[in-house]
Amino acid sequence: MRIKEFAAENGWTLKEVSDHSCVSYSALKVYARSPGLTTVDVTSFLHKLARTFNLLI
């Protein structure tokens, strides 16, 4: 997960990513720190973040 990297590229904090993506801030903090995902709807999560950062998956 490169959440912090993409956030930095956009000049955003994790809170701002949360606001833009509709992914909870607490979830983003956990995912940004962990090397892998644990229990999450990966498809929904990735689609929200891809839309937020204007990326194709």
Side-chain angles (χ1 to χ4, degrees), residues 1 3-4 14 25-36:
M1 301 295 296
I3 298 169
K4 286 183 180 179
L14 286 181
Y25 174 68
S26 60
L28 278 174
K29 282 193 327 187
V30 170
Y31 303 142
R33 277 190 239 144
S34 67

Side-chain angles (χ1 to χ4, degrees), residues 33-57:
R33 277 190 239 144
S34 67
L37 296 175
T38 52
T39 56
V40 64
D41 179 354
V42 175
T43 303
S44 173
F45 177 76
L46 291 178
H47 280 280
K48 287 178 181 179
L49 289 178
R51 276 194 313 267
T52 298
F53 294 119
N54 213 16
L55 299 171
L56 295 175
I57 54 173

